[in-house]
Amino acid sequence: MKQSIRDKLDHLTGRLEELDLLLASGDTASDMAQFTRLSRERAEIEPVVLLFADFRKVENDLAEAEAMLADPDMKAFAEEEMKAAKARLPELETDLQKLLLPKDPNDEKNVILEIRAGTGGEESALFAGSLFRMYTRYAERQRWQVEVMSSSESDLGGYKEIIARIVGQGAYSKLKFESGGHRVQRVPETEAQGRIHTSACTVAVMPEADEIEDVQINAADLRIDTFRASGAGGQHINKTDSAVRLTHLPTGIVVECQDGRSQHQNKAQAMRVLAARINDAQLRAAQAREAAHRKSLIGSGDRSERIRTYNFPQGRVTDHRINLTLYKIDAIMDGDMEELVMALTTEHQTEQLAALAGEQ
């Protein structure tokens, strides 16, 4: 283990002891805000310190086994102990490095999901509907809630655009690598000749912004327009100017919401999407600056990049960023995405570990 990593772990071990003393003091117990903050810090540090203790125990076992090699009666036993310790140490070191990786502050946040039809006309809109169903089914498996915030349906029942809020613990950590271009190759329902068509959709996954903490939106920077909602929704929604369009003048970001039952509800939904988009633009700018220093395969925030192809005739889904192909397209489209999600997460951790090793 590199000395710089060991120094970090020694510091965390000392900090855990310090936190235990602070949490046991009467002064801390009387200040609930400080008690909560210190308790949260302790909960984050403790797993690292406990694993480091295991690492040091295996190191000590190795040192004791090496010392026993000089005794002929103990040599065979010592060699077995050394073999086991040498196999265990690299595993523990890798696990420790993963725990030391910087945490994404957005990982536990809810998600704003946007899916837009691209090239391919009506077939693209139908594919947008398929993608939305895939993410909805995946959310159900995770016991997350899905709330449609805005949608524009196509003539055949797909979506030209759909915006949804996904509420659940760790939603962003699981879905954050879904942003980008998704391509489909299949025979459309509208194709009489049985020819395979290629069309595409764009997916954006954004952490839901805390409007107070993450994004400051000045009222003077907003233009608010109201208009009559179009499409389904009943007589009430079509007879009043309940739909809302927000334009953020500094960035030019425009958000429309018309699925709510009132102008007030649509404005609240639009503000939530606007805050997420502004925050997302800031995040992608930061990721672009980081990518300039270090090439990142995934999570680069580049929405123009084609990230995945869904080939129905061959029954395969290919993620181009990590060269992963899975021949289970029906299961994936039904929300069985965990293998994809975990592969992308593991690849991202591998990149982070390589960057951590380069910094030492």
Side-chain angles (χ1 to χ4, degrees):
M1 179 182 290
K2 293 187 176 181
Q3 189 59 44
S4 57
I5 294 177
R6 189 179 291 273
D7 290 344
K8 287 181 185 177
L9 293 166
D10 284 333
H11 171 74
L12 289 176
T13 301
R15 178 59 179 164
L16 184 63
E17 294 172 0
E18 184 182 351
L19 286 169
D20 284 338
L21 291 173
L22 287 170
L23 288 167
S25 74
D27 290 341
T28 302
S30 62
D31 185 344
M32 187 51 65
Q34 185 183 20
F35 183 82
T36 302
R37 179 178 59 80
L38 293 176
S39 297
R40 188 180 295 119
E41 183 183 354
R42 190 192 185 284
E44 291 177 357
I45 289 176
E46 185 180 32
V48 187
V49 173
L50 291 177
L51 192 61
F52 185 42
D54 289 345
F55 180 86
R56 288 190 296 189
K57 181 181 182 303
V58 175
E59 275 190 326
N60 289 334
D61 291 345
L62 178 59
E64 290 174 3
E66 287 174 341
M68 286 190 290
L69 280 176
D71 185 343
D73 295 333
M74 299 295 292
K75 185 176 181 182
F77 173 75
E79 287 176 345
E80 283 297 316
E81 288 290 295
M82 287 174 61
K83 182 179 178 181
K86 285 180 177 178
R88 184 82 178 109
L89 281 174
E91 295 175 4
L92 287 169
E93 184 172 352
T94 299
D95 289 342
L96 279 167
Q97 288 185 13
K98 286 181 180 178
L99 289 177
L100 286 176
L101 291 176
K103 290 181 172 57
D104 187 332
N106 295 310
D107 272 351
E108 294 306 311
K109 290 188 176 181
N110 300 328
V111 157
I112 303 294
L113 169 70
E114 298 186 356
I115 304 174
R116 288 187 183 83
T119 55
E122 193 64 49
E123 166 62 8
S124 177
L126 288 170
F127 179 49
S130 299
L131 287 176
F132 180 64
R133 180 181 180 275
M134 176 183 78
Y135 291 124
T136 300
R137 288 294 181 91
Y138 180 65
E140 289 171 358
R141 291 167 186 253
Q142 303 297 316
R143 290 180 165 76
W144 298 336
Q145 293 179 312
V146 179
E147 170 193 342
V148 175
M149 303 175 75
S150 177
S151 64
S152 174
E153 293 188 16
S154 67
D155 293 337
L156 296 181
Y159 292 105
K160 297 173 187 175
E161 175 187 90
I162 184 163
I163 303 173
R165 179 175 180 241
I166 299 178
V167 180
Q169 185 175 8
Y172 184 70
S173 69
K174 294 260 189 178
L175 294 174
K176 62 184 175 182
F177 300 124
E178 292 301 303
S179 292
H182 293 241
R183 184 177 70 169
V184 64
Q185 294 171 327
R186 65 183 178 186
V187 179
E189 296 173 19
T190 55
E191 170 59 58
Q193 303 298 321
R195 292 173 298 185
I196 296 171
H197 286 228
T198 298
S199 56
C201 289
T202 301
V203 172
V205 173
M206 301 172 287
E208 184 177 40
D210 184 319
E211 292 176 33
I212 298 174
E213 292 182 10
D214 298 337
V215 180
Q216 294 288 338
I217 300 178
N218 191 332
D221 291 336
L222 284 180
R223 187 174 75 234
I224 303 174
D225 300 307
T226 59
F227 56 98
R228 193 160 298 177
S230 60
Q235 292 181 345
H236 167 76
I237 201 168
N238 289 323
K239 285 186 176 180
T240 61
D241 289 344
S242 59
V244 174
R245 180 187 300 112
L246 298 182
T247 304
H248 187 243
L249 301 174
T251 60
I253 295 174
V254 179
V255 178
E256 289 185 5
C257 278
Q258 60 176 329
D259 284 24
R261 297 295 298 171
S262 69
Q263 187 181 116
H264 176 77
Q265 186 180 4
N266 281 323
K267 183 182 176 184
Q269 297 279 52
M271 282 294 291
R272 184 174 279 159
V273 175
L274 178 63
R277 285 190 188 173
I278 292 172
N279 186 51
D280 180 62
Q282 294 169 350
L283 284 173
R284 285 191 287 139
Q287 288 169 343
R289 288 193 295 271
E290 181 183 344
H293 296 290
R294 178 175 62 86
K295 172 61 178 167
S296 176
L297 289 174
I298 54 180
S300 64
D302 183 1
R303 297 283 156 75
S304 63
E305 177 190 11
R306 187 188 75 205
I307 64 167
R308 194 174 297 150
T309 295
Y310 304 76
N311 188 303
F312 279 80
Q314 296 179 15
R316 63 174 171 85
V317 175
T318 299
D319 196 291
H320 305 289
R321 295 164 295 179
I322 55 175
N323 295 320
L324 173 68
T325 297
L326 299 174
Y327 287 89
K328 47 187 252 184
I329 194 166
D330 290 338
I332 289 171
M333 298 310 293
D334 196 43
D336 183 9
M337 295 177 60
E338 196 64 16
E339 188 173 354
L340 262 176
V341 168
M342 292 310 298
L344 288 161
T345 301
T346 300
E347 183 68 27
H348 182 58
Q349 286 183 337
T350 302
E351 289 180 11
Q352 287 182 302
L353 287 170
L356 183 67
E359 290 169 2
Q360 307 306 322

